[in-house]
Amino acid sequence: MKKFVALVITVLLLQGCGAKEFIPREIVAETDVCKVCNMSIVHEEYAGQVALSNGDYEMFDDLGCLVQYVTTLNEGEKGAGFIKDATTNEWIDVDQATFVYHKDFWTPMSYGVLAFATEETAKKWIETEGKGEMLTTEELATHEWGVNK
Amino acid sequence: MKRIMVLGFLFAIFFPFEARADELDLQKLINQSLSGEELQIPAGVYSGPITIQKEISLVGNGDVIIEGDGEKPIISVTETENVKIQSLTLHGQGNGDGNSGIHMKDVKNIAIEEVKMTNVTSGVKAERARKLYLSNLTITGLSAHFSEKGNGLSIYDSDQIEIYNTTIHDVQDGFYMERVEQLKLVGNHVSSSRYGIHIMYVDYARASDNEFQENVTGMMIMMTNNTDIVHNFIYDHQELNGSGMILFEGKHINIENNELVSNTVGLSLQSISDSIVKNNQFRTNQTGVTLVKSAKETKVTNNEFSGNIVNLRSDENGGIIHRNYYDDYQGLDMEEDGIGDTPYSAVQSFGQWMVRKPVYQYFVEAPAVVLLNELDSQTKQTGTVLIDEEPKMSMTTQKREDKQINFAQLIGALLLVLGLIGLWRKEALI
Amino acid sequence: MLRSRWMQLVALLFVFVFASVSLIQQMALPEVEGFTRQSAAALNLQLFLLPLFLLTIGSMSIAGDVESGWLSLLKTYPITLRQYVFGKYAALLLSFFVMLALSFSVVIGTGAFVGQLGISWVFVVLSFLIVLIFAAIALLIGAIAKSRLHALALSLVLWASWLLLLSYALMAIGTFSAGHVLQKLLIVNIHINPAEWLRFGYFLLSKQEAVLGPAFYSFTNFYSSPFGLFVYACLSVLWIILSLGFAVFILDRKGRVE
């Protein structure tokens, strides 16, 4: 019993300190569902995740859900946000990404916003697709989601 | 009924010898037929894919099988109207994305009836269709994880869609509808897939008399308005994250007379307003109803909750519950008006936590939690959210049939009891 | 042991409570597969009652022998401590097995009227497993205790912490800790708490691990594999062997110190 209490205390203490470096975690197709809309994550190439500062992860099926979730967080709760790059399918930091929106782009929630690691790849995408407008991380926060009928 | 037996005629000209069906070129027949003609296809195995770009009726006469090449849709219908496809079997190949049954694009007034699709990644897909009538289809997908499969029936940017008596299993989503107006789904059955129905941005949909079984989630309805969900039977969605029905963001939704049985969560409402949940039965689900951000103008009334581990739970916003029947209501009805004298409080100390932190699911009906809930109800501690002021005292529907006494079982048990007591009394032990 | 009045009373109480709870639940609920309020109620009843009776009766029977000097007398006989403890274990098992069999047959008998069998095989297996593990632990407590009263107190404290207090403590910790911390603590708790171990075993054997929720997916995945089930069986046996072994060891040391 004493040992158990000691263990609990150590775990809690350990959790309190330690350097904070957030890394994205693997998607588990079987159990991961979007925190916001409840959809299971089958299109991994659009998935996003937020690493909370307490060590928990929340998964999202679409960038739109991720952004809506982040706005509900309190100061300091968010560790880092990650989203899949639309061209490379790699995790990239949401805060450093560039976004392209067009209502015809398909995403799991049909929000139509894609993420890119650099501005160049985003520009290239717009060129090859022939449509889309660039959004910055700040513009993302004020973007109106789900009205692109 | 214009009926021209083109084939008999063609046989005489092109195939003087005994014709094998697979030597018949269906595409050629279609190309040669006149607009508005009905093409009767004799029984046999044909190779696809085929393309339809004119007004035509394709009717199978007997066992007609068309095989796909695994790369293109077995039948493509583009930029045309008044097409009918009837009584065919489409057999797919491989597991690539291209392995699909029927693909329609920019079409109007299409009827597809009694078509069977087997071994396809996805069944029917339609883009920009108007007036689709689909009935008695059977779609069987592949055996793989749902994330590697296509949808049974997917429809985008379309309107006036009616789907009747269609059976779908082993696909990703049974019915996937995006930006569709005026949708009708009646008498369909979806099983062993991810979602039975998956609807996004749909206006004026009606789903009635459908059956969903053993999918991850029976009905997933997102960002839709003006929806009627009536008299569906949704059961055995027991996987992790499994639910009978999930509604996410919507207005004017009417959920009535459905039966939700043995699901992980029966009905989950998230950001739903101006809607009503009425006369449904929630039986033996782990959680009957979950309400998240759905307290505004959404009423849960006249439903029956029985045998669920947790009947209702909600986030801190709560919800409006009124005159439901709850099997764990402990109040009395001294006035005998069929309504309990004291309010029913749905939120147990533990129920709230399960919504906020999924890890708490571990404690579901654990000994410690049961005791806690018991204390809650004994001390008459009521929460501030999820309170039914007028709980109903009895169920309106009684489904229990009369049970026969099983005499063999009774006698066996009696003998066992007597034997054990005899053993005990004789002190044969120790 | 079956002859003792106390034991007969306990048996009667157990059979009565168990049968009536099962019957009420059967009448009230439709018959369905899966984890329902009925199976939960039956499981909780077993988890509450069996350990309580086992721990108190088992521990007091050894502590009583020590207290009354009966054990010292026994030691002069040609009987080893190992035989003594094993004999106690066998006696405890036998009387509880008879009691369980009795209550199951009563439930099956009443089930005949309602038209259901009322009991699943997993449930039967698990009940016997509860007896096997807790009987061994009871003897260990009895060996540690200095007197009958001490044994009773120890049993009750352990029973309450395993069934209730640890869970409450964890639930309280969970309110301010991160989800993944609580998840890890819960997994630790499953392994150090026989009551949780057996509850987990019920979900495992009845293939209802999904009940515990997605947070435990990889954990339950491991234990539901054939190798995991083997590990489960081994650890269960370990609970029994270690408890009995320590009981013998402690009784042996007690004898020498005196």
Side-chain angles (χ1 to χ4, degrees), chain B residues 154-214:
Chain B
S154 49
I155 296 174
Y156 304 82
D157 305 289
S158 303
D159 62 308
Q160 301 175 56
I161 311 293
E162 295 181 22
I163 304 167
Y164 298 94
N165 304 327
T166 289
T167 306
I168 300 178
H169 51 95
D170 295 303
V171 293
Q172 190 172 93
D173 297 347
F175 299 95
Y176 181 84
M177 310 281 155
E178 202 177 312
R179 291 184 300 274
V180 171
E181 269 186 43
Q182 300 188 48
L183 169 68
K184 224 177 191 180
L185 289 160
V186 181
N188 303 295
H189 185 283
V190 184
S191 59
S192 311
S193 301
R194 181 178 69 148
Y195 301 148
I197 295 183
H198 187 185
I199 294 179
M200 298 216 272
Y201 305 102
V202 169
D203 226 0
Y204 297 100
R206 183 185 166 88
S208 65
D209 302 282
N210 300 293
E211 209 172 302
F212 302 102
Q213 177 196 0
E214 288 172 44

Side-chain angles (χ1 to χ4, degrees), chain C residues 4-107:
Chain C
S4 94
R5 287 265 153 204
W6 171 227
M7 189 63 213
Q8 284 173 10
L9 214 64
V10 164
L12 204 68
L13 180 71
F14 184 80
V15 172
F16 177 73
V17 172
F18 186 67
S20 50
V21 167
S22 313
L23 193 66
I24 290 167
Q25 297 281 351
Q26 274 173 1
M27 304 271 253
L29 291 178
E31 189 173 21
V32 281
E33 294 283 307
F35 192 59
T36 58
R37 194 153 349 125
Q38 177 183 359
S39 49
L43 176 66
N44 285 336
L45 195 69
Q46 298 292 66
L47 280 177
F48 269 124
L49 290 188
L50 278 179
L52 179 65
F53 292 151
L54 275 162
L55 288 180
T56 49
I57 294 172
S59 67
M60 278 162 69
S61 100
I62 283 204
D65 284 354
V66 175
E67 199 177 16
S68 64
W70 176 244
L71 185 66
S72 312
L73 183 67
L74 262 184
K75 278 184 177 171
T76 62
Y77 282 54
I79 174 176
T80 64
L81 265 178
R82 200 181 290 177
Q83 281 169 325
Y84 166 75
V85 169
F86 191 76
K88 282 276 179 195
Y89 187 57
L92 207 53
L93 289 190
L94 253 155
S95 36
F96 272 86
F97 281 177
V98 170
M99 195 170 92
L100 274 181
L102 202 61
S103 45
F104 287 148
S105 38
V106 169
V107 172

Side-chain angles (χ1 to χ4, degrees), chain A residues 29-33 35-43 68 106-111 146 148-149, chain B residues 145-147 156 172 176 178-179 194-195 198 200-201 220 222-223 239-241 246 248-249 268 270:
Chain A
E30 209 64 48
T31 58
D32 282 340
V33 291
K35 174 77 178 170
V36 171
C37 75
N38 255 322
M39 249 165 78
S40 54
I41 297 168
V42 293
H43 299 281
Q68 287 174 53
W106 189 88
T107 67
M109 296 293 281
S110 284
Y111 287 146
N148 52 344
K149 277 199 188 181
Chain B
H145 188 261
F146 58 71
S147 62
Y156 304 82
Q172 190 172 93
Y176 181 84
E178 202 177 312
R179 291 184 300 274
R194 181 178 69 148
Y195 301 148
H198 187 185
M200 298 216 272
Y201 305 102
M220 187 81 167
M222 317 176 87
M223 294 162 294
E239 282 189 45
L240 294 158
N241 305 315
I246 298 179
F248 175 76
E249 279 188 18
S268 165
Q270 292 184 51

Side-chain angles (χ1 to χ4, degrees), chain B residues 300-316:
Chain B
V300 179
T301 183
N302 274 304
N303 301 286
E304 289 171 8
F305 294 90
S306 62
N308 307 297
I309 289 180
V310 176
N311 278 339
L312 288 113
R313 59 186 200 198
S314 75
D315 62 352
E316 60 277 10

